[in-house]
Amino acid sequence: GPLLALYTSQPNGDSAVSIGWDGIIKFYDVATFDVSGMIRTKNNNNNSKCKKFRLGRHAVLMEREDVYLLVSTRAPTREEWKEDEYEKERLKQLKLQQQNDDSSDDDDGPRPASADEPKKKAKKEEDTNANNWVTPGSILLFSGTHLSAEPLRIITYHASPVTALSYNSKKQWVISGDISGVLEVWNVPSSSADDGSSSENGPLPFQSKFDTDMYSLMKKKTYAIDIAVSDKHFAVYCSDRKVRLFSLTKGCKLVCIYDERLKVYDKMISNTSSAMGIDAIEYGKRAALEREMEDSYLLSGGVSSNAVT
């Protein structure tokens, strides 16, 4: 199937991973680009006792004592939602039919249950199946060594679909953002019992999130499309076409904002005949391309407008 994402490992880049729309995760040796391992998550989703999920477009491949993969999850598209509803209704009707057939064949048994009982049982099973789906904001932790279809951890810092994910390999911090504007900085869980809040990988760059500027995106009703991180800073490109720079050494405070909206450059080009060394005709071509891209899926943070949340 088509690829959702392709990432190289951090910090050395010795491995790579591809994430497919069909739920298949493949690990590669970068030197030869041979497949070194594979996880078929669809098999896991067919097990009713396991949590079900749809893989998202955002991931981090980490080289630690083993190779670990963090990958976002996504909401179903309208087509997937309709298929799920149809399948649930089909299974519900099938179970009701089987229960009615069993009760009609058992003439010498105990008194048959009331007419509502099979419906209540089917409704309970339907609710249990629906609750097996992880929330779209969940982030899954997989092992690139053990290749289990069941995630080692399901990380639930976000209640809305994740739109950006980045990794500071020196401090082993993950920085993530979701479509509601929430930004999070957290330690990578080192075991199935670790919830990511431990200080095993070093303390987080702040004592309390309320002392940071990480709520600034929510206040401006924007969200992260991409995040780039260095040892001392992380930059967030947002849906309002502004780049916000945060300091990791100063408690995740907002350092500055770069306005990348097209109208800023329109004003610059109107004030000079050769702004940025580009003539007006060449600038017009590039501006037209920018306007085309603004409505594209590329600049949505990987969240489909066709998704059902």
Side-chain angles (χ1 to χ4, degrees):
L3 284 185
L4 288 167
L6 181 65
Y7 291 90
T8 54
S9 59
Q10 298 182 47
N12 301 320
D14 294 333
S15 302
V17 65
S18 66
I19 301 166
W21 186 270
D22 55 4
I24 295 178
I25 301 170
K26 291 183 181 179
F27 297 89
Y28 305 87
D29 184 328
V30 167
T32 61
F33 217 70
D34 290 333
V35 176
S36 59
M38 183 186 301
I39 299 175
R40 296 180 181 272
T41 61
K42 287 293 183 183
N43 293 338
N44 181 59
N45 288 356
N46 289 333
N47 187 341
S48 60
K49 294 182 180 180
C50 295
K51 283 290 186 181
K52 300 179 181 181
F53 48 81
R54 292 179 175 88
L55 299 178
R57 290 183 176 270
H58 306 284
V60 168
L61 187 60
M62 304 168 291
E63 297 171 343
R64 302 177 72 186
E65 65 275 9
D66 287 318
V67 176
Y68 292 101
L69 172 68
L70 286 169
V71 58
S72 64
T73 55
R74 62 179 178 85
T77 63
R78 285 186 175 87
E79 290 75 16
E80 289 173 326
W81 180 81
K82 287 177 182 177
E83 288 176 8
D84 289 344
E85 290 299 303
Y86 175 80
E87 182 64 16
K88 282 193 289 186
E89 184 62 27
R90 188 186 69 82
L91 291 174
K92 178 181 174 182
Q93 294 300 327
L94 183 62
K95 285 183 179 294
L96 284 172
Q97 183 62 44
Q98 289 174 342
Q99 288 162 1
N100 289 332
D101 290 345
D102 290 344
S103 61
S104 61
D105 290 341
D106 190 12
D107 295 333
D108 299 326
R111 187 179 63 183
S114 66
D116 290 338
E117 189 169 327
K119 293 181 181 179
K120 289 179 180 178
K121 187 175 180 182
K123 181 69 169 61
K124 184 178 179 181
E125 290 176 354
E126 182 183 341
D127 291 342
T128 301
N129 185 59
N131 291 334
N132 265 354
W133 285 94
V134 302
T135 58
S138 299
I139 298 172
L140 311 175
L141 176 65
F142 290 97
S143 169
T145 305
H146 301 297
L147 303 176
S148 171
E150 186 175 353
L152 298 176
R153 293 282 299 172
I154 298 174
I155 300 159
T156 55
Y157 289 120
H158 296 279
S160 303
V162 170
T163 57
L165 198 61
S166 192
Y167 179 56
N168 183 319
S169 58
K170 186 173 182 180
K171 295 289 188 179
Q172 296 187 356
W173 294 331
V174 176
I175 304 171
S176 54
D178 68 33
I179 201 168
S180 65
V182 172
L183 286 175
E184 297 285 356
V185 178
W186 40 283
N187 283 315
V188 180
S190 56
S191 68
S192 58
D194 185 5
D195 63 0
S197 61
S198 71
S199 59
E200 182 179 334
N201 301 324
L204 293 174
F206 51 82
Q207 292 295 323
S208 168
K209 193 176 174 183
F210 292 107
D211 298 330
T212 72
D213 289 331
M214 292 171 64
Y215 290 109
S216 59
L217 273 66
M218 291 183 69
K219 291 176 182 176
K220 294 296 182 180
K221 296 184 178 179
T222 185
Y223 61 89
I225 288 176
D226 201 5
I227 299 173
V229 63
S230 67
D231 290 346
K232 296 182 179 180
H233 299 89
F234 68 93
V236 183
Y237 180 54
C238 302
S239 59
D240 61 0
R241 307 299 179 254
K242 294 181 181 180
V243 178
R244 291 167 170 83
L245 186 66
F246 295 82
S247 172
L248 287 170
T249 59
K250 296 180 180 178
C252 293
K253 291 291 186 180
L254 187 61
V255 177
C256 59
I257 300 174
Y258 301 95
D259 195 338
E260 293 294 321
R261 289 176 297 174
L262 197 56
K263 67 180 184 180
V264 174
Y265 293 96
D266 288 341
K267 188 175 181 181
M268 287 174 63
I269 201 76
S270 65
N271 291 337
T272 173
S273 60
S274 184
M276 303 168 287
I278 303 174
D279 63 41
I281 296 174
E282 179 62 23
Y283 175 78
K285 291 178 181 177
R286 297 189 183 189
L289 182 60
E290 284 275 340
R291 290 187 183 94
E292 231 178 88
M293 291 174 62
E294 280 190 355
D295 297 325
S296 72
Y297 181 69
L298 177 68
L299 296 181
S300 68
V303 177
S304 174
S305 59
N306 193 32
V308 177
T309 56

